Amino acid sequence: MSPDSLHLLTSGLSLRPPNHFGSGSVEITSPVSGSGEGAVRRLAVTSTQLVERPHPSVSTIPDVVAYAARTYGTKYNAVGWRDTIKVHEEIREVVSVVNGKEVKQKKTWKLLELSDYKFLNFLEFAEAVGEVRNGLLRLGITKEDVVNVYSQTSLNWQLVSHGCASISTAIATAYDTLGADGLTHSLNEPDCVAIFTNSDLLPTLARVVPNTPKLRVVLYDGTPSTAVLDGMRATRPDLQFMHLDELRKLGENDQSGPLPSTLLEERRPSSETLACIMYTSGSTGAPKGVCITHGNLVASISSVTIVFGPNVPAGDIYLAYLPLAHVLEYIVELCALFVGVTSGYARPKTLTDAGVRGCRGDLIALKPQIMFGVPSVWETIRKGVVGKLNEGGALKKALFYGALEARRRGTPVLSGLGERIVLSKVREATGGKLKFAMNGGAAISKDTQEFLSVAIMPMMQGYGMTESCGMCTLLPPEYIQFGAVGLPVPSIEIKLLDVPSLGYLSSNTPPQGEVCIRGPSVFKSYYKRPDLNADESIWTKDGWFRTGDVGVWNKDGTLSLIDRIKNLVKMPNGEFIALEKLESVYKSCDYISNICVHVVPGATNPVAILFPHEANLRHALSLSQDPAVAHVKSADIATLCDDSYVQHIVLNACNEVGTKNGLNGSEVLCGVVLTPEEWTPETGLVSAAMKIKRAAVASTFSKEIEAVYSLLARG
């Protein structure tokens, strides 16, 4: 797209002057010849000093709550949520793989009927946090204790988190998709004395409590099963169980009188106080606990306010649905609190009308202006749009793609007409008010970013990890483009370290190398892991954190990523292929829901193991006039996945997408393995954060992968 067309996408935002960010990023040191590293770069407009505070009165998380309460008070809502009115159950047939064989099973699907959104303003939110804080103090929770938060993203997650932060008690995060082993690890490594969870997660906790001797308090919300609670009490008579409503009641000042002001003052944190032990996704091994301080988080809030400024005004609504156990959602909700944006809580399964009964989906009910997401979410939305177009017939499809192309080219009259008649209808499915979106967590394909930016809302990019509070770079709206992950954030500086074995050198033109970071947003250590904290493959001798990502500086001062060092594979011809890059490209194929690109030693090309997008694949098959397809048009998903002709169709579609995106040579797929069962943490193929577990995928489908390469070898 041309610069003018890109600017058209952000015309609805409060853009600052084109030169607002100066030259983007600047070198604050000169590269030393022969040192094996590049110059240190910072955001140009804050190059003289890394930022640490968004406001003089804010240096800790409780300061953020206090600032928001006095600044926004009753004028705006801080949080919104929906209550469950009724659970509707439907029986559906699904295909599972049991002991290597495909088995049809009947599964009960639960669809929720939800209330309208309810809200707390900023004063009410601060009061609720105070109740939880007081309740925790009255339970005897100390500064040295750690409280585990094992819960879905919700208002209550935040109330417990902020209550702990107010009294210098660290939380440890646990994804609500964790099984017993993962939960046991997240409870025992930090010696958690208390846990907050949801009533529907208590059965998993019940399997864990016999092996968590330090745990003494279980806080929960919802309506738990009496049998589950009784069973846990029988197993652990020493445990104290308390509903969160009871804890808040305990914390009300009119119930027990106010707590001594001296106690509250003694328990106030400093910027160096540990706020959170956030566990990484564990996609390559046991999860690591990242120690994040109040100062780390506050510095990151500062960065967001500088980079996005007027584009996140007080009173806007943010759709909060990603796991709060993931650093992206955690930091975004803290930023929303500081700038006066409402966090409206939602669930991934109830975002659209298809996931609820008797009410509208969260997107339409809330009508948010801001939405963050990870690639899997954006791919699902994109393919959902494509699926709806397929259902609507050829004319509707032609009108949509015509409007899309007019907007891509910036054709004024046609673009405006397509906007009013076609694209506005697509936007209604997301509430109709989205101003911009942000992708994080992993790379997104250029095709998908462009498609959603043109069709629904401009999409920015960000790059970060748990160790940097979710941010190293952010792409402001003034810099909108497809492919770059943004400018250095104001609280972090970046340098590139040579990777000679792969040919990525800071002396190259443009400079390339491993991305290394330092600054107030960067963590200092892993929890109870002295081996990692002393590992020079993780930390340089002069204190830089090595991300393991290969990056390249662009002329406009932005950074682009090439891939993870560990995911760069050398092929027999001497070329390297980047597995994550290939996955982000091929995943934009309409027939794919999830994908893992794999290559065996000595192979000249990779294969893709993938879970297909059933609706879009079936639509393509229904349109085919080829007699070879007739026998599978009405077949079940397992039969589709096993059919060689269907595999051929998917392979060709993937490689067409690859060719369009400039993939060639060793990057072209030589075969595909289609899997009939969805990849979930329960299957062991993805982590709790939905990141692919490469070793698990390769092991689970080793026979199928071997069959693909054997077939190719036979010619």
Side-chain angles (χ1 to χ4, degrees):
M1 291 178 67
S2 68
D4 288 342
S5 297
L6 285 169
H7 183 71
L8 180 66
L9 300 181
T10 55
S11 58
L13 297 175
S14 302
L15 297 179
R16 292 156 288 191
N19 63 349
H20 177 79
F21 287 100
S23 55
S25 65
V26 295
E27 295 181 350
I28 63 162
T29 65
S30 298
V32 178
S33 179
S35 65
E37 59 186 47
V40 177
R41 295 184 77 97
R42 291 180 180 173
L43 185 71
V45 294
T46 57
S47 61
T48 57
Q49 186 174 2
L50 295 173
V51 301
E52 296 186 22
R53 295 185 180 188
H55 187 271
S57 67
V58 176
S59 59
T60 66
I61 299 309
D63 292 340
V64 175
V65 177
Y67 172 88
R70 68 174 179 267
T71 304
Y72 311 114
T74 60
K75 188 176 181 181
Y76 301 114
N77 291 318
V79 292
W81 72 96
R82 304 176 82 180
D83 291 331
T84 299
I85 297 173
K86 184 179 179 181
V87 178
H88 298 261
E89 294 188 351
E90 293 182 2
I91 306 296
R92 300 178 185 175
E93 189 173 78
V94 298
V95 176
S96 300
V97 178
V98 180
N99 296 324
K101 295 182 179 180
E102 291 156 1
V103 178
K104 292 180 182 178
Q105 297 175 326
K106 288 189 176 180
K107 185 176 179 181
T108 300
W109 292 74
K110 294 183 178 181
L111 300 169
L112 302 183
E113 184 174 336
L114 303 169
S115 71
D116 292 335
Y117 269 92
K118 301 177 180 181
F119 298 94
L120 292 181
N121 61 43
F122 284 89
L123 276 181
E124 292 168 330
F125 178 77
E127 289 170 3
V129 169
E131 291 169 358
V132 174
R133 174 200 65 198
N134 294 349
L136 291 170
L137 286 172
R138 288 182 171 128
L139 281 180
I141 301 298
T142 71
K143 277 186 179 183
E144 292 73 29
D145 290 336
V146 178
V147 175
N148 191 288
V149 185
Y150 172 56
S151 161
Q152 68 179 19
T153 296
S154 64
L155 165 62
N156 288 341
W157 199 109
Q158 285 289 27
L159 291 180
V160 173
S161 173
H162 281 288
C164 289
S166 301
I167 57 174
S168 299
T169 297
I171 63 168
T173 61
Y175 286 92
D176 63 342
T177 53
L178 279 180
D181 290 345
L183 180 57
T184 301
H185 178 76
S186 71
L187 282 165
N188 283 343
E189 186 176 73
D191 294 324
C192 293
V193 301
I195 185 172
F196 167 69
T197 190
N198 310 129
S199 57
D200 57 350
L201 294 174
L202 284 172
T204 304
L205 181 60
R207 295 160 54 197
V208 164
V209 292
N211 305 310
T212 53
K214 297 293 179 67
L215 188 67
R216 67 171 193 263
V217 178
V218 176
L219 305 170
Y220 61 90
D221 63 9
T223 306
S225 159
T226 303
V228 171
L229 283 181
D230 288 346
M232 293 172 75
R233 288 189 178 104
T235 304
R236 288 283 306 276
D238 58 314
L239 282 180
Q240 180 178 2
F241 293 86
M242 182 177 285
H243 195 283
L244 189 65
D245 291 347
E246 295 178 73
L247 181 75
R248 289 180 61 179
K249 199 73 175 173
L250 180 65
E252 289 180 359
N253 286 328
D254 59 355
Q255 295 294 311
S256 311
L259 288 162
S261 58
T262 52
L263 173 61
L264 295 177
E265 190 58 36
E266 286 170 6
R267 294 296 296 271
R268 283 187 63 81
S270 71
S271 60
E272 294 302 312
T273 302
L274 180 65
C276 175
I277 303 167
M278 182 159 280
Y279 281 91
T280 58
S281 64
S283 58
T284 57
K288 300 185 291 287
V290 177
C291 295
I292 299 175
T293 66
H294 285 253
N296 292 149
L297 295 167
V298 167
S300 302
I301 294 172
S302 305
S303 285
V304 173
T305 59
I306 291 171
V307 174
F308 288 113
N311 294 295
V312 284
D316 268 7
I317 299 174
Y318 164 69
L319 183 76
Y321 69 99
L322 294 171
L324 270 164
H326 191 290
V327 71
L328 177 62
E329 184 69 18
Y330 185 62
I331 192 64
V332 169
E333 290 192 29
L334 284 175
C335 293
L337 192 62
F338 178 79
V339 299
V341 166
T342 304
S343 290
Y345 290 104
R347 303 169 177 88
K349 291 182 179 179
T350 62
L351 290 179
T352 67
D353 291 352
V356 294
R357 288 292 180 269
C359 62
R360 303 307 302 268
D362 299 325
L363 278 163
I364 291 177
L366 186 64
K367 294 180 170 52
Q369 283 93 7
I370 305 164
M371 182 175 176
F372 278 53
V374 294
S376 60
V377 170
W378 303 126
E379 293 293 353
T380 298
I381 292 175
R382 178 182 181 272
K383 283 154 192 170
V385 171
V386 171
K388 287 290 184 184
L389 290 171
N390 290 338
E391 293 172 8
L395 178 59
K396 185 176 180 180
K397 200 170 182 177
L399 285 171
F400 173 82
Y401 283 107
L404 208 65
E405 188 56 31
R407 189 162 161 80
R408 274 196 182 103
R409 295 186 178 184
T411 311
V413 176
L414 291 177
S415 179
L417 189 63
E419 181 83 18
R420 290 192 301 274
I421 297 175
V422 182
L423 298 182
S424 62
K425 299 295 183 184
V426 174
R427 294 188 187 120
E428 286 175 7
T430 58
K433 291 189 176 181
L434 280 177
K435 295 193 305 187
F436 81 92
M438 169 70 74
N439 174 69
I444 187 174
S445 75
K446 179 181 176 182
D447 274 2
T448 298
Q449 186 186 3
E450 182 176 329
F451 178 94
L452 294 174
S453 293
V454 175
I456 301 177
M457 74 272 136
M459 179 177 289
M460 309 305 142
Q461 282 263 45
Y463 159 60
M465 63 282 304
T466 309
E467 290 87 345
S468 66
C469 293
M471 61 186 72
C472 298
T473 63
L474 291 171
L475 187 70
E478 292 81 3
Y479 268 68
I480 186 170
Q481 56 189 286
F482 307 130
V485 293
L487 300 170
V489 296
S491 56
I492 285 179
E493 54 190 0
I494 301 175
K495 72 176 179 182
L496 300 182
L497 193 65
D498 289 357
V499 190
S501 62
L502 301 177
Y504 296 116
L505 306 175
S506 56
S507 57
N508 289 351
T509 305
Q512 299 170 317
E514 181 182 0
V515 178
C516 298
I517 58 174
R518 185 173 67 179
S521 287
V522 182
F523 84 129
K524 297 294 191 297
S525 65
Y526 291 106
Y527 189 72
K528 291 185 177 179
R529 292 299 303 271
D531 56 327
L532 298 180
N533 297 331
D535 190 337
E536 290 185 15
S537 69
I538 297 175
W539 299 94
T540 65
K541 289 181 179 179
D542 53 348
W544 290 78
F545 176 68
R546 300 178 61 173
T547 66
D549 297 308
V550 177
V552 55
W553 289 114
N554 302 314
K555 289 182 179 179
D556 62 358
T558 59
L559 183 75
S560 291
L561 296 181
I562 296 171
D563 211 317
R564 300 281 294 163
I565 291 175
K566 66 184 180 184
N567 291 334
L568 289 160
V569 180
K570 191 172 186 178
M571 305 300 281
N573 61 2
E575 295 178 0
F576 285 90
I577 62 170
L579 299 182
E580 283 191 10
K581 170 194 168 186
L582 298 186
E583 286 159 357
S584 72
V585 170
Y586 288 126
K587 199 172 186 178
S588 65
C589 173
D590 290 340
Y591 305 154
I592 295 177
S593 285
N594 212 343
I595 185 172
C596 176
V597 175
H598 178 78
V599 60
V600 300
T604 56
N605 291 84
V607 298
I609 304 95
L610 59 92
F611 173 60
H613 190 287
E614 186 176 355
N616 289 351
L617 180 56
R618 286 192 185 280
H619 177 76
L621 295 175
S622 71
L623 298 178
S624 176
Q625 302 299 315
D626 193 323
V629 179
H631 72 287
V632 292
K633 285 187 176 182
S634 59
D636 58 36
I637 184 64
T639 303
L640 286 183
C641 290
D642 280 342
D643 188 84
S644 59
Y645 197 84
V646 173
Q647 294 166 1
H648 177 72
I649 290 173
V650 173
L651 175 62
N652 282 350
C654 286
N655 282 333
E656 284 177 11
V657 168
T659 300
K660 180 182 175 184
N661 285 273
L663 302 183
N664 54 53
S666 298
E667 296 173 316
V668 176
L669 297 176
C670 64
V672 294
V673 173
L674 306 187
T675 69
E677 187 175 9
E678 185 178 1
W679 298 2
T680 65
E682 290 75 20
T683 65
L685 301 179
V686 293
S687 70
M690 298 304 291
K691 292 187 177 181
I692 294 167
K693 292 187 172 182
R694 295 186 182 280
V697 172
S699 174
T700 301
F701 302 105
S702 59
K703 291 181 180 177
E704 291 85 349
I705 294 168
E706 184 181 346
V708 170
Y709 281 116
S710 295
L711 186 63
L712 289 169
R714 293 197 300 269

